[in-house]
Amino acid sequence: MISGKFSKVVLCVGIVLYRKSLTEVSSYEITREAYMGQIWQNNYIVHSERKSWLDARNVCKTNGFAMQFKKWKTINQYIIIKAERKGWNASEDVWFGLIKHPNSSLWYECRKYHCVEANIVIPGQLFYERQCAVLNMSSATKSNILYADNCEGNAFGFACLGQYGTVPNDVEMYPMSDLVETGTYRESWNNVNITECAINSFSIFFCFASTYYPETRICNAECTNVLNVPENVTLINSVINSTILLRSYNRVIINNDVTNLPPITDPDQFPCVYETSSKIESTPLSSAMSTSVYTTGPVVSHCLCICTTVSNITKEGLQQKISQIKKSLTVNKTSLSSSLRRKTSAPDERQSSAGMGVVGMFIIIGTLFALIASDLFYAGFIIIRYITNNCFKWQ
């Protein structure tokens, strides 16, 4: 009787302690920033210092970066939204890493070490002017995020781009945790490991967090559009064996430092000029011959062939000339390497191939021997009987 009452008291105390522990666990929060972006880990450094486009690019290059050149709408929306949340003035636009030269409609992405053609049309572009792209920091919800402006006559802030490795190198993992915030839609995968969960969630789909259940190998990713990405996500301790994955990269950083680099005033320093110049680059024909032809002046032929023109040729002479050319150009088909390869076996030095060949040879010879051996035995029997009968008759 006493033992029964004691058991009930212990049970009640255990329930109270369990409820208290759950309450304490539920109130414990872990907050980390949630980031959105592409496969590469990117840092977007938005500089508030006003500079010309050339000076802005020089600052990015000096720090080992490129100007932000990625023209995808979602990425630039992300930069605008994150910069605004960090206190950026929406009326202060920034230079972008796209340039167009005079007398051209072709834009180029100015990457860290080279230029890449960009098949786009930017609002405000003028055919006869050298223009650079500007990121409109007040247009996160509008379609025209970029616009074109004169590269030399304006000063704006600017955005630099730094890349630091690939997914899933920088995915934060929190075992025994639950995610409070949910996305506007969810992606799920069955029978995956935790690395595949990270790649599916943050590379194939651009989700901000995912929950992985190691016992069932299920991955649930929380996804949303860039306008609804939460500034922070909240994690609480979980009683279920689960791991929360957060993408901890693609940060937007505001830089208010003032640089002391000398200004660039030489227009010849603009990049990507060689792609749009009237100068035509040709393959070198001789070390003593210029390889450049300018379309603004008379074009001089660089052909090294000596072309002779024969006039007053008769019809018979023309046919004879054609026949000679045909004869000199005709090739015997049987001497072609393609014809020779049809009739020869390709060499195979592997021991397994040699072994298979020996086995096949024994099978073929054994089959033929089995077919012929019975006939040879019967023929020998007839020959012996014939000799024996003839010998007895002669005796």
Side-chain angles (χ1 to χ4, degrees):
M1 189 73 175
I2 297 175
S3 62
K5 290 182 179 180
F6 181 75
S7 299
K8 290 181 180 179
V9 171
V10 171
L11 180 61
C12 291
V13 172
I15 292 173
V16 171
L17 291 175
Y18 176 71
R19 286 180 177 174
K20 185 176 182 182
S21 65
L22 280 181
T23 303
E24 289 178 352
V25 168
S26 298
S27 64
Y28 179 66
E29 295 183 352
I30 307 171
T31 304
R32 292 286 185 276
E33 288 189 79
Y35 295 98
M36 188 82 167
Q38 295 292 329
I39 297 174
W40 282 86
Q41 174 191 352
N42 295 322
N43 278 359
Y44 301 98
I45 303 98
V46 184
H47 292 257
S48 60
E49 184 183 13
R50 286 173 162 266
K51 286 187 173 292
S52 67
W53 190 89
L54 268 180
D55 290 337
R57 182 170 182 266
N58 188 34
V59 172
C60 293
K61 288 186 67 177
T62 301
N63 293 326
F65 304 132
M67 289 187 75
Q68 155 57 1
F69 60 84
K70 296 186 176 181
K71 54 188 179 294
W72 300 311
K73 182 178 178 181
T74 54
I75 294 297
N76 292 305
Q77 282 180 330
Y78 169 75
I79 295 173
I80 294 169
I81 292 170
K82 294 292 288 186
E84 184 180 356
R85 289 176 180 177
K86 291 178 179 292
W88 185 267
N89 185 353
S91 63
E92 296 289 334
D93 297 337
V94 296
W95 285 121
F96 200 80
L98 292 172
I99 189 169
K100 180 195 76 65
H101 291 287
N103 303 320
S104 173
S105 298
L106 184 62
W107 288 89
Y108 287 94
E109 298 175 357
C110 296
R111 303 195 177 187
K112 191 172 181 180
Y113 299 112
H114 64 284
C115 301
V116 177
E117 292 184 8
N119 186 22
I120 57 172
V121 176
I122 298 180
Q125 72 179 52
L126 300 174
F127 181 79
Y128 296 103
E129 287 187 11
R130 175 183 285 117
Q131 292 179 304
C132 297
V134 182
L135 181 60
N136 187 350
M137 298 297 284
S138 63
S139 65
T141 59
K142 300 177 183 178
S143 57
N144 295 332
I145 289 183
L146 299 176
Y147 66 90
D149 211 332
N150 191 292
C151 299
E152 301 172 81
N154 294 289
F156 293 106
F158 53 97
C160 301
L161 166 64
Q163 294 183 331
Y164 301 96
T166 56
V167 168
N169 294 345
D170 290 83
V171 174
E172 294 182 357
M173 299 184 184
Y174 299 91
M176 301 302 294
S177 298
D178 267 338
L179 181 67
V180 174
E181 289 78 12
T182 57
T184 55
Y185 69 97
R186 173 179 287 179
E187 298 289 344
S188 298
W189 299 272
N190 298 322
N191 196 26
V192 295
N193 58 39
I194 197 165
T195 301
E196 292 169 337
C197 179
I199 293 173
N200 291 341
S201 302
F202 305 139
S203 294
I204 299 175
F205 292 89
F206 305 138
C207 305
F208 63 87
S210 62
T211 306
Y212 180 70
Y213 302 94
E215 294 175 352
T216 57
R217 293 172 59 85
I218 294 175
C219 176
N220 294 328
E222 302 296 338
C223 313
T224 185
N225 60 55
V226 70
L227 298 178
N228 295 322
V229 175
E231 178 68 12
N232 297 291
V233 295
T234 304
L235 304 182
I236 59 175
N237 281 15
S238 173
V239 295
I240 302 174
N241 188 8
S242 62
T243 300
I244 299 298
L245 281 66
L246 299 181
R247 57 184 319 155
S248 58
Y249 47 90
N250 283 14
R251 296 176 174 85
V252 172
I253 302 168
I254 305 298
N255 189 321
N256 295 315
D257 296 340
V258 177
T259 58
N260 296 319
L261 296 176
I264 300 176
T265 57
D266 185 3
D268 291 337
Q269 296 297 315
F270 281 103
C272 316
V273 177
Y274 54 88
E275 279 92 348
T276 57
S277 171
S278 60
K279 189 166 106 172
I280 302 173
E281 299 293 337
S282 60
T283 304
L285 299 177
S286 172
S287 58
M289 181 181 298
S290 172
T291 58
S292 301
V293 180
Y294 290 85
T295 57
T296 54
V299 178
V300 180
S301 174
H302 287 167
C303 180
L304 296 180
C305 303
I306 301 175
C307 305
T308 57
T309 303
V310 180
S311 59
N312 299 326
I313 188 171
T314 62
K315 188 175 181 180
E316 291 78 9
L318 179 60
Q319 290 296 332
Q320 185 178 5
K321 190 78 172 176
I322 293 172
S323 299
Q324 290 177 354
I325 294 173
K326 282 184 177 180
K327 186 176 180 181
S328 63
L329 295 177
T330 302
V331 179
N332 187 4
K333 291 183 178 180
T334 58
S335 63
L336 295 176
S337 59
S338 58
S339 301
L340 296 175
R341 284 198 300 269
R342 271 195 220 105
K343 299 178 182 180
T344 57
S345 299
D348 193 342
E349 303 297 336
R350 294 177 298 173
Q351 292 183 355
S352 58
S353 299
M356 291 174 64
V358 171
V359 172
M361 183 177 64
F362 276 113
I363 291 173
I364 294 172
I365 294 174
T367 304
L368 293 176
F369 181 77
L371 294 174
I372 297 171
S374 59
D375 294 334
L376 289 175
F377 178 77
Y378 184 68
F381 176 75
I382 293 175
I383 293 170
I384 293 172
R385 188 175 62 178
Y386 175 78
I387 294 172
T388 303
N389 292 337
N390 287 339
C391 287
F392 281 122
K393 286 182 180 180
W394 180 74
Q395 290 177 355

